[in-house]
Amino acid sequence: MNTRNVPINIVRDAGFGGDKLALINGDARAALLPSVVAVGQLRGAQLSTGLKRGRRAAQPLQVQFDVYQYLAGPNVHQHARPIERLDFSRLGDGPEQQALFYGNLWQLLGAGKHSINLLVALPVEVLRDAKLTASIRAKLRAQMVGRHQFTVNGETLTVIINQVKTMAQPLGSFFNWGMDNTGRWNKKSSPHALHAIADIGFNTVDLFVV
C-alpha cells in the first residue's frame, strides 16, 4: 500500500503480446501480464498439458469492475473466448485494456489504496500520426485520470491516477539501457550523442533515433 502523500510514478507499455508496468520506489519493480482478456469466470481446476503431469496450469486473474468480471493473463482461452483486437485504437479505450491494467497493477502494487502518476509508452507508428495520437491521448486521460476501484482475485484496490502522459516505446529501452535505478546516466558515451534504437515488439518494430 502506498501510504505516502507523494504519488508513485509508473510506466506502462500496453503491448500486443504483454502488458508491462514498471516503477522505481526505492527498488525497481516490474510486472508483466499476457495481453489476453475475456469476459467470464473460471471453469474450475485446469490441468497443465505440459511434461509435468499433475501440475496445475497458471490461472487467469479474475478482475471485476462495473459489475462485470473479466479474466486476464495466462490461459484465458481455457476458460472463455478471448477478446481479439489488434487495432491501435485499443491502446486508448475499451474495458479489456482496463482489465489488463487493473490486473497488472494488482501484481505490481498489491491490494489497498494507491496514488500514482502514469506514463504510457506508445508505438512510434502511432506517434507519427498526429490525429491518432491526439485521439488516443484524449481517450487515455478521459478513461484513466481519476479514482478507480476494482477487485482482482477477490482483493480490493482503490487507485487515484493524478495525471497521464505518453512517450515513444523505444525511449523506454533507451533509458533502461543508459540509466541506473536512480535516474543517473551510467554509460561511457554521452546521453547527448546520437543513438539508434530498434524496439522489436509483438506487433510492431520501432526504429528510433535520439
Side-chain angles (χ1 to χ4, degrees):
M1 179 183 296
N2 176 25
T3 58
R4 305 177 308 164
N5 293 325
V6 179
I8 297 173
N9 295 320
I10 293 178
V11 180
R12 182 190 187 197
D13 182 350
F16 287 91
D19 189 270
K20 298 169 282 291
L21 295 177
L23 66 83
I24 297 177
N25 182 27
D27 295 325
R29 284 188 285 159
L32 171 65
L33 190 65
S35 295
V36 185
V37 182
V39 178
Q41 299 180 346
L42 297 180
R43 290 181 177 175
Q46 297 286 330
L47 297 180
S48 171
T49 57
L51 296 178
K52 295 183 179 180
R53 293 185 178 180
R55 184 176 180 179
R56 292 172 61 89
Q59 298 282 9
L61 300 182
Q62 301 173 74
V63 183
Q64 188 164 2
F65 61 96
D66 292 343
V67 309
Y68 292 103
Q69 178 167 292
Y70 298 84
L71 302 178
N75 298 313
V76 167
H77 67 282
Q78 295 182 359
H79 304 271
R81 182 175 181 177
I83 301 170
E84 298 181 0
R85 286 188 64 185
L86 292 176
D87 57 294
F88 285 128
S89 296
R90 66 177 277 281
L91 299 172
D93 63 4
E96 70 274 10
Q97 281 298 305
Q98 280 185 275
L100 282 171
F101 179 59
Y102 290 165
N104 219 4
L105 269 182
W106 175 78
Q107 291 191 136
L108 186 70
L109 301 176
K113 297 180 180 180
H114 308 280
S115 177
I116 70 174
N117 297 320
L118 186 63
L119 178 61
V120 180
L122 298 175
V124 171
E125 186 174 346
V126 171
L127 296 176
R128 290 178 61 186
D129 186 327
K131 185 176 180 179
L132 179 60
T133 300
S135 173
I136 289 177
R137 282 175 177 163
K139 289 178 180 178
L140 277 172
R141 288 166 179 159
Q143 185 182 69
M144 292 293 190
V145 174
R147 182 178 183 271
H148 302 252
Q149 188 169 54
F150 53 94
T151 65
V152 180
N153 289 0
E155 297 185 355
T156 301
L157 288 83
T158 301
V159 178
I160 303 296
I161 301 179
N162 302 283
Q163 57 180 316
V164 175
K165 296 185 177 181
T166 60
M167 72 170 187
Q169 286 177 344
L171 280 177
S173 301
F174 175 68
F175 293 137
N176 181 65
W177 168 77
M179 292 182 172
D180 61 23
N181 288 347
T182 67
R184 295 179 179 177
W185 189 258
N186 64 359
K187 299 298 181 183
K188 292 182 179 180
S189 63
S190 168
H192 303 293
L194 190 65
H195 294 85
I197 306 161
D199 187 356
I200 303 173
F202 181 84
N203 194 48
T204 58
V205 176
D206 290 334
L207 302 178
F208 202 71
V209 176
V210 293

